[in-house]
Amino acid sequence: MSSNNTQGFGTKAVHAGVTPDPSSGAIMTPIFQTSTYVQDAPGVHKGYEYARTQNPTRDALQASLAALEGGTDAACFSSGLAAMDAIIKTLKSGDEVLCGNDLYGGSYRLLVAVYGPLGIKSRYINMTDIELVKKSIRPETKLIWLETPTNPTLQITDIKAVCDIARELGIPVCVDNTFASPYLQNPLSMGATLVHHSITKYIAGHSDVVMGGVITSDKKYAEKLKFIQNASGAVPGPQDCFLVLRGIKTLHVRMDRACENAMKLAEYLEQHPKVGKVMYPGLNSHPQHELAKTQMKNFGGMISFDLKDDSIEAANKVLSGTKLFSLAESLGGVESLIGHPASMTHASIPREQRLASGLTDSLIRLSVGIESAEDLIADLEEALS
Ligand SMILES: *Cc1c(COP(=O)(O)O)cnc(C)c1O
């Protein structure tokens, strides 16, 4: 079914990109588990030659993603980092990427450890400081990469303000929209050229797929990304594309519940005597709460908090005390997860640097799922006592 911009998000989530299979009428897009396609005569085919280049299951998913972010084109890759890798491959030696300073660890590693030695530079600044963004752009800056909300301190960057600065200088902005999902925030509508997703998280939503995607309305970028998708070949398989298509159909419903639960948990944590600081963009106490209200539809399912007893030992007691919250990396699934960035996702960052960015020893990160809020609160209550 085709989609258009007047449709609501829920309608797009269920229908965009998906048409009944013409050969059978199957309402769900089949898993086209094939590597090649039979041609009627040399060069005479139905638009499909080889499955690295094109696959109908992947095509449906890409059309769906483009509609959800309000873009014209999307390209999917075998992981979020493979999607980022494809974007960075549009640059050349001597170019620089200007980034937010609390980037997802794997994104930082890709830029510094893989692309640094190849001559593509990256620089890291506090993107929430718009004046600093303006001052930090250099002639060799060819891409601005930002995440909002950030991980794990959930800071908010003003997407439109950064895009306004970049547009004057002709620099494309890519927003890693993983934490918000396309339901809560659409960076293309605020002036971004590219939107990046780790589809692994909210979009797939069931902790059973690793995948990435890029969405754009810029035809030149769309062509380059499709070229790299085929030329470098980090494509997702059709089974995974099917699972993501299925996940997308409930994205808005899952996000609504995750946001509702997260708000209740954040309020609960904020009044708990053992809890120090609670970081959640939906709280009045969040320094960028007003900004979050203007660029996000709701405040997401991620919460971070630390303890008054700011020690790793105190954090460990909470981390090993929950029963519903599973101790694991990743986020965005239907089940709630709990993690300790200082010893898990951010262990490679030196302690001083970590503390300077607000990532304290006892900081605990929650990915709030769609369970019943009372049970999640009771689980934290137990673990905190
Ligand atoms: C997980 C994640 C990535 C990397 O995606 P993978 O699918 O794990 O490769 C990039 N950015 C953010 C914000 C993430 O959470």
Side-chain angles (χ1 to χ4, degrees):
M1 190 168 298
S2 66
S3 78
N4 59 60
N5 280 332
T6 63
Q7 283 177 343
F9 189 93
T11 308
K12 288 186 199 173
V14 174
H15 294 291
V18 177
T19 34
D21 174 48
S23 73
S24 65
I27 193 162
M28 287 299 132
T29 307
I31 301 165
F32 284 91
Q33 192 75 51
T34 188
S35 61
T36 191
Y37 307 87
V38 177
Q39 308 196 1
D40 296 330
V44 182
H45 52 75
K46 300 176 172 65
Y48 296 93
E49 295 153 278
Y50 185 63
R52 172 165 25 77
T53 321
Q54 273 177 317
N55 178 286
T57 319
R58 195 172 87 211
D59 285 350
L61 173 57
Q62 290 175 162
S64 170
L65 288 170
L68 295 186
E69 280 290 6
T72 56
D73 292 270
C76 289
F77 297 88
S78 53
S79 69
L81 286 180
M84 180 179 191
D85 183 77
I87 296 169
I88 306 304
K89 279 181 176 143
T90 65
L91 303 174
K92 58 184 191 318
S93 177
D95 291 351
E96 177 193 78
V97 189
L98 186 65
C99 304
N101 58 5
D102 45 5
L103 221 54
Y104 175 74
S107 305
Y108 176 80
R109 182 178 57 198
L110 178 61
L111 286 168
V112 170
V114 178
Y115 283 101
L118 296 175
I120 293 175
K121 295 171 282 184
S122 52
R123 212 146 35 88
Y124 301 85
I125 60 160
N126 176 4
M127 283 267 169
T128 65
D129 181 346
I130 297 301
E131 283 309 308
L132 182 62
V133 174
K134 212 179 265 179
K135 279 188 286 194
S136 301
I137 293 172
R138 296 176 182 165
E140 63 268 31
T141 307
K142 298 295 183 209
L143 178 67
I144 294 176
W145 186 280
L146 70 91
E147 264 175 50
T148 179
T150 61
N151 176 30
T153 53
L154 301 165
Q155 291 190 58
I156 308 289
T157 292
D158 188 334
I159 297 174
K160 186 174 177 300
V162 172
C163 291
D164 285 348
I165 293 169
R167 190 181 315 106
E168 265 176 42
L169 301 164
I171 302 168
V173 175
C174 180
V175 177
D176 180 338
N177 205 26
T178 301
F179 267 42
S181 89
Y183 180 50
L184 299 185
Q185 178 171 284
N186 296 124
L188 297 181
S189 72
M190 298 175 230
T193 303
L194 300 162
V195 175
H196 167 273
H197 277 286
S198 170
I199 290 172
T200 314
K201 315 293 168 50
Y202 285 107
I203 295 179
H206 296 73
S207 308
D208 51 10
V209 175
V210 173
M211 199 190 292
V214 189
I215 301 101
T216 186
S217 289
D218 181 311
K219 284 290 166 197
K220 257 177 30 205
Y221 257 107
E223 249 172 61
K224 281 186 202 175
L225 289 164
K226 293 255 152 109
F227 175 79
I228 292 167
Q229 187 188 40
N230 182 50
S232 288
V235 293
Q239 292 263 2
D240 286 353
C241 292
F242 172 85
L243 285 171
V244 174
L245 277 168
R246 184 161 77 166
I248 283 174
K249 291 182 194 297
T250 56
L251 175 59
H252 52 303
V253 184
R254 289 186 281 108
M255 282 313 289
D256 276 342
R257 177 60 80 86
C259 292
E260 190 187 314
N261 282 354
M263 192 68 212
K264 286 181 186 161
L265 260 66
E267 284 170 346
Y268 159 77
L269 287 166
E270 202 166 44
Q271 54 77 48
H272 197 286
K274 286 195 185 161
V275 171
K277 196 171 162 204
V278 181
M279 287 151 255
Y280 183 64
L283 292 174
N284 281 321
S285 58
H286 189 286
Q288 294 133 332
H289 176 60
E290 290 306 316
L291 173 60
K293 270 204 277 193
T294 64
Q295 70 181 20
M296 299 175 78
K297 183 185 280 175
N298 204 333
F299 306 105
M302 301 301 296
I303 304 174
S304 290
F305 66 98
D306 63 9
L307 302 172
K308 289 222 173 96
D309 172 6
D310 184 36
S311 66
I312 292 183
E313 295 71 41
N316 276 341
K317 277 192 195 138
V318 179
L319 292 156
S320 52
T322 57
K323 295 194 179 75
L324 276 178
F325 282 88
S326 302
L327 181 64
E329 287 185 14
S330 199
L331 62 118
V334 289
E335 63 288 302
S336 293
L337 301 180
I338 190 166
H340 186 234
S343 63
M344 294 166 75
T345 46
H346 293 63
S348 58
I349 301 173
R351 183 164 181 271
E352 290 313 309
Q353 197 182 323
R354 189 161 57 62
L355 293 177
S357 64
L359 210 169
T360 49
D361 288 340
S362 69
L363 188 125
I364 290 168
R365 192 188 82 171
L366 303 177
S367 171
V368 180
I370 65 169
E371 300 96 331
S372 303
E374 317 80 75
D375 295 330
L376 295 176
I377 289 174
D379 196 36
L380 288 179
E381 178 76 33
E382 178 80 21
L384 280 163
S385 59

